[in-house]
Amino acid sequence: MSNQRQQKPTLTGQRFKTRKRDEKERFDPSQFQESIIQGLNQTGTDLEAVAKFLDASGAKLDYRRYAETLFDILVAGGMLAPGGTLSEDVTPTEFCLFKAQEDIETMQAYAQVFNKLIRRYKYLEKGFEEEIKKLLLFLKGFTESERNKLAMLTGILLANGNLSASILSSLFNENLVKEGVSACFAVKLFKSWLSEKDISSVATSLRKVGMDNRLMELFPANKRSCEHFSKYFTDAGLKEISDFARNQQSIGARKELQKELQEQMARGDPLKDIIAYVREEMKKNNISEQTMIGLIWLSVMSSVEWNKKEELVTEQAIKLLKQYSPLLKAFTSQGLSELTLLLKIQEYCYDNIHFMKAFQKIVVLLYKADVLSEEAILKWYNEGHVTKGKSVFLEQMKKFVEWLKNAEEVSSVLEIRVCIM
């Protein structure tokens, strides 16, 4: 017998067991489409039943994988081909948004269906926004009635917070803008939105995503003016949107103006040239003197780097304001403008703690330079001031105000004596 152990036979090759999760399932939206369409055909026009069907189907069907198909069916009745035409793979359902009645009540009911679905399956939120962006790009492929329904639904969903206003970027597509589709769609959308929320809510949503300054892009470049925009939306019964756009343009113009003012001051441009530029911009952008004096004050105070020491900052401010007092004087021709300037000075000195003790000296300087009148100062002191630093600044101004009142009384006595003589 051999002492060596007998070698056991070994199998060549290896078998790997494939995990189920590693198997790639074939993307086949057709079967998913058939299941959804069949369910919608059974529920019919009962939108409560539709919502329940969609809620239950999410447990059996892969909504995450076929989100685009799901939303295509709910909106258009079937899968959409590029451009917005219905795919011919299957007979579309008649029970969808595009086949519904064209009225706000029906659209509100459909909005509830989408709201319930997305609240139940949160992962559909992003896919739904992408779907709406896509549908907006397909607008030319839809009928006028279909576009109207989509606009109303989108407005309601924006009002309810189911969509971000960033989806409006699709309306700036060149082809849609050129043919007037974007502006027409926007009218319906904003009417629907404003039927649910007020203009301040709409404005907040637009500002949140930077859409507040882009509404002019709904029109071709040759019609992209505030006048055209205002007339178009006012004629459509949307004066709130027209006024909002005008206000936004004015804010934009003021920001640009302030930036240019600061650059002119940094270059040391002559004051007469700066004054001429400001007057021209006021006329061009319809900016009031009260608004302008506030911009000039901020521009002047932003034109230097301030000393950090409180005892030196007052001296620095007086020197700067002496230099620019002719500029301030040019735009305080009205009592209301003077009061506006006083309030701006009060707010600035309060917000910048190093200037708290400088308030009285600044006001006296501007009084001596004929920028501020005694009437404006007394009005500010008696009733026109704001609460910011009120007690500190009123105390600082007390002696000067008393002097003004005494001077006024002496002047009145002298005038009476002259009249008697």
Side-chain angles (χ1 to χ4, degrees):
M1 273 181 75
S2 171
N3 291 331
Q4 291 182 347
R5 290 185 182 179
Q6 191 175 356
Q7 195 172 5
K8 292 182 179 179
T10 57
L11 294 171
T12 55
Q14 290 181 339
R15 289 176 64 194
F16 291 99
K17 189 174 180 182
T18 307
R19 292 183 180 182
K20 201 164 188 180
R21 69 180 182 211
D22 294 333
E23 292 176 8
K24 285 204 172 181
E25 189 182 335
R26 191 166 66 89
F27 184 76
D28 181 20
S30 300
Q31 194 172 350
F32 177 88
Q33 178 179 225
E34 285 176 14
S35 301
I36 295 294
I37 287 177
Q38 186 181 353
L40 291 176
N41 287 340
Q42 287 171 357
T43 53
T45 56
D46 184 352
L47 293 183
E48 279 291 331
V50 169
K52 286 177 182 174
F53 159 72
L54 293 171
D55 188 308
S57 296
K60 297 174 282 183
L61 300 175
D62 195 346
Y63 281 178
R64 194 186 295 273
R65 190 174 174 83
Y66 299 111
E68 184 180 1
T69 305
L70 173 64
F71 293 129
D72 276 358
I73 297 166
L74 293 176
V75 172
M79 284 193 292
L80 291 170
T85 55
L86 279 168
S87 169
E88 296 177 358
D89 291 352
V90 71
T91 304
T93 180
E94 292 292 309
F95 305 105
C96 62
L97 179 82
F98 282 176
K99 298 294 182 182
Q101 286 186 326
E102 190 182 321
D103 59 68
I104 198 74
E105 291 79 15
T106 305
M107 295 305 105
Q108 285 169 335
Y110 264 94
Q112 279 303 309
V113 171
F114 285 106
N115 181 36
K116 287 174 183 175
L117 177 63
I118 291 162
R119 269 170 47 196
R120 175 70 177 83
Y121 299 102
K122 285 289 284 182
Y123 57 80
L124 289 174
E125 208 167 49
K126 184 172 174 52
F128 185 53
E129 285 209 356
E130 292 304 314
E131 173 74 10
I132 297 295
K133 284 182 186 177
K134 180 191 81 174
L135 291 171
L136 297 189
L137 290 172
F138 289 172
L139 286 178
K140 280 171 66 180
F142 304 146
T143 66
E144 185 183 349
S145 176
E146 289 169 350
R147 289 201 290 261
N148 289 343
K149 291 168 194 173
L150 183 60
M152 285 191 278
L153 175 76
T154 306
I156 295 164
L157 292 170
L158 284 164
N160 293 342
N162 299 121
L163 288 174
S164 160
S166 61
I167 57 106
L168 298 176
S169 60
S170 291
L171 291 178
F172 305 142
N173 173 274
E174 189 181 350
N175 292 324
L176 295 175
V177 169
K178 193 192 298 182
E179 297 192 23
V181 174
S182 294
C184 188
F185 185 87
V187 165
K188 281 281 183 186
L189 182 149
F190 281 121
K191 280 187 176 180
S192 175
W193 196 345
L194 287 165
S195 72
E196 303 283 322
K197 299 286 181 180
D198 61 19
I199 188 63
S200 67
S201 174
V202 172
T204 301
S205 297
L206 292 171
R207 286 194 191 102
K208 197 173 178 182
V209 292
M211 285 288 157
D212 51 324
N213 294 316
R214 296 193 63 190
L215 295 182
M216 295 287 173
E217 294 176 48
L218 291 166
F219 297 97
N222 62 341
K223 293 181 179 177
R224 210 168 283 171
S225 70
C226 197
E227 290 69 29
H228 180 79
F229 185 99
S230 180
K231 186 176 187 314
Y232 186 91
F233 278 91
T234 301
D235 290 350
L238 285 167
K239 191 173 183 301
E240 306 103 308
I241 297 295
S242 169
D243 292 344
F244 171 73
R246 275 190 180 279
N247 186 48
Q248 288 305 113
Q249 192 193 43
S250 179
I251 290 169
R254 293 201 293 266
K255 282 180 181 175
E256 286 300 311
L257 195 155
Q258 189 172 346
K259 185 182 173 185
E260 177 59 27
L261 259 178
Q262 287 170 347
E263 287 175 3
Q264 289 180 6
M265 290 174 187
R267 290 195 303 263
D269 290 5
L271 287 180
K272 63 180 178 59
D273 293 347
I274 297 177
I275 289 168
Y277 164 74
V278 171
R279 284 191 171 137
E280 188 183 333
E281 288 299 308
M282 280 176 70
K283 189 176 179 181
K284 188 167 77 175
N285 294 296
N286 196 27
I287 299 173
S288 68
E289 190 180 81
Q290 292 79 51
T291 300
M292 185 53 71
I293 194 61
L295 286 176
I296 293 169
W297 166 260
L298 287 174
S299 299
V300 169
M301 299 306 278
S302 302
S303 65
V304 296
E305 191 170 328
W306 295 105
N307 200 300
K308 301 295 180 189
K309 293 183 179 178
E310 193 175 298
E311 61 272 16
L312 297 176
V313 82
T314 302
E315 187 183 328
Q316 190 184 0
I318 296 301
K319 186 179 176 182
L320 179 74
L321 291 168
K322 266 185 185 174
Q323 179 189 346
Y324 284 108
S325 60
L327 176 61
L328 293 165
K329 185 180 177 180
F331 299 96
T332 48
S333 64
Q334 303 166 21
L336 195 54
S337 304
E338 292 180 57
L339 188 58
T340 301
L341 178 56
L342 275 162
L343 292 172
K344 291 293 178 185
I345 297 168
Q346 181 185 350
E347 287 171 356
Y348 187 88
C349 290
Y350 179 80
D351 293 337
N352 298 274
I353 195 163
H354 294 310
F355 285 83
M356 285 292 282
K357 292 181 181 178
F359 179 78
Q360 186 261 2
K361 290 180 181 175
I362 291 172
V363 174
V364 172
L365 167 74
L366 296 179
Y367 169 74
K368 288 179 179 177
D370 287 332
V371 176
L372 296 172
S373 65
E374 61 185 78
E375 291 83 10
I377 294 169
L378 291 173
K379 186 171 180 62
W380 172 87
Y381 186 85
N382 292 324
E383 59 185 84
H385 50 261
V386 290
T387 54
K388 287 184 172 183
K390 170 184 166 182
S391 57
V392 174
F393 298 138
L394 290 179
E395 183 60 35
Q396 280 184 32
M397 291 295 294
K398 191 174 180 182
K399 286 184 181 179
F400 182 65
V401 166
E402 284 173 5
W403 179 84
L404 283 177
K405 286 177 178 176
N406 290 334
E408 194 176 11
E409 286 171 11
V410 170
S411 176
S412 298
V413 169
L414 288 172
E415 282 178 16
I416 291 167
R417 283 178 180 172
V418 169
C419 289
I420 291 170
M421 289 172 67

